[in-house]
C-alpha cells in the first residue's frame, strides 16, 4: 500500500511549527510585507501567525495553493523540522476537528470590517478525542453556521486550537443545510459534556489565549 504523501495543502488550514531559538517571533513579524502583498494580489483572503509557549501556529484562507516558503522564507532556520514526508519540513498540518461552515459552501468569505481574530488553545485529553470529534461533527452538520462562518477547531497531538473571527456574527450567504437531519447534539449538557475532554493548564485555566505575531486580511 502506498504511504500517504502530502501533495498540496487545502485552501483553509492551520499549520503547527515549533520554535528552536528566541529570534523566531521577530523573524516572523519581519515577514509581514509578504503577507500584505499576497492579500493585495488576491492570493490570500486572511492569514494569522500566533504563538503560545514554544508553539507557532499559522492559520490561512487562500484563493490558490498555499506554500509556506512564500510567506516565511527561511523559517527553517528558526523552527525544528518534522519528518514524515519525502523531505524534512518546518511544519505539520493540523487536523480540522470542526468548522462552523465549509469555506467552499459560502458565497462571500471576505470580511466586511477589519477585525482581529481570537485564538484560544486547549490541551486535549487524547483518550477522549473520539467523543470530542463526534459531538463536534453533530454540531457541524446538524447546525451549520451555529458559530458564524469562520469558527474552526484544529488539532495536532494534544494541542487543540480554536480560531474565531466573526464578531458580531453576520448572516451567511449559503444554501448549505448540513449532512445530518438528526437532533442528537446534547444541548442541555453541552458544557458539562465537554469539560472532561481537556487538561487544565498549570494556572488552573482550561484555555490560553495565543499571542498574535502577524495578521492580514
Amino acid at each position: 500500500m502506498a504511504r500517504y504523501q502530502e501533495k498540496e495543502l487545502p485552501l483553509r488550514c492551520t499549520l503547527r511549527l515549533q520554535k528552536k531559538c528566541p529570534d523566531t517571533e521577530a523573524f516572523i513579524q519581519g515577514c509581514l510585507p509578504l503577507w500584505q502583498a499576497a492579500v493585495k494580489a488576491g492570493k490570500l483572503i486572511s492569514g494569522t501567525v500566533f504563538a503560545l509557549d514554544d508553539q507557532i501556529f499559522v492559520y490561512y484562507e487562500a484563493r490558490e495553493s498555499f506554500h509556506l516558503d512564500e510567506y516565511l522564507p527561511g523559517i527553517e532556520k528558526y523552527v525544528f523540522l518534522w519528518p514524515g514526508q519525502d523531505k524534512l519540513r518546518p511544519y505539520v498540518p493540523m487536523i480540522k476537528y470542526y468548522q462552523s461552515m465549509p469555506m467552499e459552501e459560502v458565497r462571500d468569505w471576505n470580511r466586511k470590517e477589519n477585525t482581529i481574530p481570537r485564538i484560544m488553545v486547549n490541551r486535549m485529553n487524547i483518550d477522549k478525542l473520539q467523543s470530542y470529534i463526534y459531538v463536534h461533527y453533530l454540531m457541524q452538520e446538524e447546525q451549520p453556521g451555529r458559530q458564524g462562518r469562520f469558527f474552526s477547531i484544529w488539532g495536532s497531538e494534544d494541542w487543540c486550537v480554536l480560531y474565531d473571527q466573526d464578531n458580531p456574527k453576520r448572516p451567511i450567504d449559503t444554501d448549505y443545510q448540513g449532512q445530518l437531519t438528526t437532533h442528537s447534539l446534547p444541548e442541555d449538557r453541552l458544557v458539562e459534556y465537554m469539560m472532561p475532554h481537556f487538561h487544565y493548564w498549570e494556572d488552573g485555566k482550561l484555555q490560553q489565549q495565543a499571542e498574535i505575531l502577524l495578521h492580514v486580511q
Side-chain angles (χ1 to χ4, degrees), residues 3-10 15 66 84-86 89 91-93:
R3 185 171 63 88
Y4 166 77
Q5 292 290 309
E6 178 187 306
K7 298 298 184 183
E8 190 170 286
L9 294 170
L15 311 177
F66 183 92
Q85 295 294 318
D86 292 335
R89 55 194 169 150
Y91 67 86
V92 287

Side-chain angles (χ1 to χ4, degrees), residues 105-112 149-150 170 172-173:
E105 298 289 346
V106 178
R107 282 181 270 273
D108 177 16
W109 201 258
N110 290 320
R111 281 73 167 159
K112 299 300 183 184
R149 70 186 64 196
F150 303 116
R170 301 183 284 114
I172 302 172
D173 185 11

Side-chain angles (χ1 to χ4, degrees), residues 44-206:
L44 198 64
I45 302 173
S46 180
T48 308
V49 184
F50 48 101
L52 183 65
D53 296 336
D54 64 345
Q55 302 294 305
I56 303 290
F57 304 97
V58 176
Y59 171 88
Y60 68 85
E61 299 159 11
R63 299 188 187 279
E64 55 186 69
S65 298
F66 183 92
H67 300 286
L68 188 63
D69 56 357
E70 296 180 13
Y71 297 89
L72 299 176
I75 188 64
E76 294 86 356
K77 301 176 184 177
Y78 300 91
V79 298
F80 291 101
L81 301 182
W82 300 78
Q85 295 294 318
D86 292 335
K87 62 180 181 179
L88 296 175
R89 55 194 169 150
Y91 67 86
V92 287
M94 300 186 78
I95 297 171
K96 182 168 56 184
Y97 292 160
Y98 171 83
Q99 58 181 0
S100 183
M101 179 61 66
M103 182 176 178
E104 64 274 12
E105 298 289 346
V106 178
R107 282 181 270 273
D108 177 16
W109 201 258
N110 290 320
R111 281 73 167 159
K112 299 300 183 184
E113 60 284 321
N114 186 24
T115 56
I116 301 299
R118 182 171 182 263
I119 295 121
M120 305 302 294
V121 180
N122 291 341
R123 300 305 294 268
M124 174 68 67
N125 181 349
I126 295 297
D127 289 340
K128 294 186 175 295
L129 178 58
Q130 67 274 33
S131 62
Y132 182 81
I133 293 176
Y134 170 71
V135 76
H136 279 84
Y137 182 73
L138 292 178
M139 185 185 300
Q140 173 179 295
E141 300 301 333
E142 288 183 353
Q143 302 177 25
R146 170 188 174 121
Q147 305 282 0
R149 70 186 64 196
F150 303 116
F151 185 76
S152 56
I153 303 175
W154 309 81
S156 171
E157 296 181 327
D158 63 337
W159 291 92
C160 188
V161 170
L162 290 76
Y163 175 94
D164 196 11
Q165 190 189 3
D166 197 10
N167 189 23
K169 292 180 171 53
R170 301 183 284 114
I172 302 172
D173 185 11
T174 179
D175 297 323
Y176 186 71
Q177 300 297 314
Q179 298 185 24
L180 298 177
T181 58
T182 55
H183 301 279
S184 301
L185 188 68
E187 290 277 7
D188 57 339
R189 55 186 183 90
L190 190 56
V191 174
E192 176 187 359
Y193 178 88
M194 296 310 301
M195 296 295 282
H197 290 79
F198 301 102
H199 296 294
Y200 286 88
W201 295 80
E202 292 180 357
D203 61 4
K205 295 181 180 179
L206 195 63

